[in-house]
Amino acid sequence: WIFITGVDENIQELENSNEYPKGLKIFSQYILLGLVILYFLILYSYAASIIHSNAWPKGVISYLIIGVSVLGYLTVLLLFPYSKEEKSILSIFLKVFNFMVLPLVILLFVAVGMRISAYGITVNRYFIVLLGIWLGTISIVRIFRPTWIKIVPTSIACFILLSSFGFWGVNFISC
């Protein structure tokens, strides 16, 4: 309700408005973007050491990949209004981000596949696989349709809704 109080009563006017809060832009561009890039560098070096040593961690890598991907997509959503305005590291990041997520999604599926084959499906592993499918799908869709930003929140809402019932739901699969 606090968020909705700031919304103007004339919704059509909001659709045509190009105003973006300056504080949110600064936070997104200088803090979130830096964190995501740093997190990707650390995660890629960690993934290289895992592959090089062939010593897989005990279920940690999947949470790290999901964390950086969700934080990255939040950053993409917040910085999307500036994707056409500025030619900087921001525009490079928005073009390259989806390509950066795909190898990590493959690593996520390998890691969670090893855990599922050894111990079976649990609720946490079910949601990790679901988020991995979502990340892979969204990354591929956004590679071909980079301006189609509404698919990110819509698809995660659909994935969450579909996982809550039916024979494909979390309660049926993981029991």
Side-chain angles (χ1 to χ4, degrees):
W1 291 113
I2 292 172
F3 173 74
I4 294 174
T5 59
V7 176
D8 194 7
E9 290 181 19
N10 190 352
I11 300 294
Q12 291 302 327
E13 214 173 276
L14 286 174
E15 288 290 328
N16 300 329
S17 174
N18 290 332
E19 292 181 30
Y20 195 71
K22 188 163 181 75
L24 189 59
K25 178 187 177 188
I26 291 170
F27 173 73
S28 303
Q29 190 172 5
Y30 297 112
I31 296 173
L32 273 182
L33 184 62
L35 282 174
V36 170
I37 291 171
L38 180 66
Y39 201 170
F40 264 113
L41 291 173
I42 292 169
L43 194 56
Y44 265 97
S45 62
Y46 184 52
S49 71
I50 288 171
I51 292 170
H52 177 67
S53 67
N54 201 20
W56 290 85
K58 306 283 186 211
V60 175
I61 191 75
S62 57
Y63 293 115
L64 296 174
I65 293 169
I66 289 172
V68 73
S69 301
V70 169
L71 184 64
Y73 274 115
L74 174 66
T75 306
V76 166
L77 288 173
L78 290 174
L79 292 174
F80 186 74
Y82 297 107
S83 63
K84 296 178 182 103
E85 292 179 13
E86 300 179 14
K87 298 295 180 200
S88 63
I89 194 167
L90 172 65
S91 62
I92 295 169
F93 172 77
L94 291 173
K95 290 177 186 173
V96 173
F97 175 74
N98 297 307
F99 292 103
M100 292 171 50
V101 171
L102 285 177
L104 294 177
V105 170
I106 293 168
L107 184 65
L108 177 125
F109 281 124
V110 170
V112 79
M114 293 170 71
R115 302 301 287 173
I116 288 174
S117 67
Y119 302 108
I121 297 177
T122 62
V123 173
N124 288 346
R125 291 185 195 116
Y126 176 84
F127 282 118
I128 288 171
V129 169
L130 187 69
L131 282 171
I133 293 169
W134 177 75
L135 287 171
T137 305
I138 288 301
S139 296
I140 291 170
V141 167
R142 293 230 348 113
I143 285 171
F144 295 109
R145 293 279 192 118
T147 59
W148 202 14
I149 196 71
K150 293 179 182 179
I151 190 72
V152 176
T154 306
S155 62
I156 192 67
C158 290
F159 269 74
I160 291 170
L161 180 68
L162 289 174
S163 71
S164 62
F165 64 89
F167 63 89
W168 57 83
V170 66
N171 292 327
F172 185 81
I173 298 284
S174 63
C175 291

